[in-house]
Amino acid sequence: MYKFVKPVLIGLLFTCWAAADVRIDEVLVRRKEGRMNLRVNISNPSSATQKGPIKITLYARPDSGSAWEQVKVWTNITKLAAGNRVARDFFDQNNARLKEIADAPAFECRAVVQAPGYPVQEEIGVFHPDP
């Protein structure tokens, strides 16, 4: 019996050390010719694969005094290998409300990332027109 306990404990110890990770690297908020483009870049800086589904929820608002409006939800990231990155883009095409938000002098975007076994992360990006 004791022959089996030691290898199991050592295996569990190494499994805990090789915990996966997911991180928001940046949230890019752009506007060109009145059109909005929102990009969320996430990565896995750990040495283990982060299992999914990894969920990215994107919100936008015309200014800091407005309520966040959900824009897009991605749940199609099934895993993120160690050291890899992934990006998701959203364009405001064919959406009248998002066109209104993109027409604001400055607007904000918020990305929320959830992954199994990892705390929720969020990051805010702001678009300011060139002076």
Side-chain angles (χ1 to χ4, degrees), residues 1-15:
M1 166 111 174
Y2 290 111
K3 285 198 272 185
F4 298 110
V5 172
K6 188 174 179 180
V8 169
L9 289 176
I10 290 172
L12 287 173
L13 184 62
F14 283 117
T15 302

Side-chain angles (χ1 to χ4, degrees), residues 34-36 69 90-103:
R35 304 301 299 216
M36 155 188 321
E69 297 180 43
F90 181 79
F91 300 91
D92 68 340
Q93 297 162 331
N94 301 320
N95 188 312
R97 178 61 186 135
L98 291 179
K99 176 109 174 72
E100 289 174 22
I101 291 173
D103 286 341

Side-chain angles (χ1 to χ4, degrees), residues 26-44:
E26 64 185 336
V27 176
L28 298 172
V29 182
R30 296 177 255 190
R31 178 175 64 197
K32 184 175 181 178
E33 299 172 3
R35 304 301 299 216
M36 155 188 321
N37 170 230
L38 309 173
R39 173 178 281 178
V40 181
N41 293 314
I42 64 171
S43 67
N44 178 358

Side-chain angles (χ1 to χ4, degrees), residues 74-97:
W74 291 277
T75 57
N76 61 346
I77 304 169
T78 57
K79 65 181 177 177
L80 187 55
N84 283 6
R85 296 174 46 130
V86 68
R88 291 294 181 262
D89 279 285
F90 181 79
F91 300 91
D92 68 340
Q93 297 162 331
N94 301 320
N95 188 312
R97 178 61 186 135

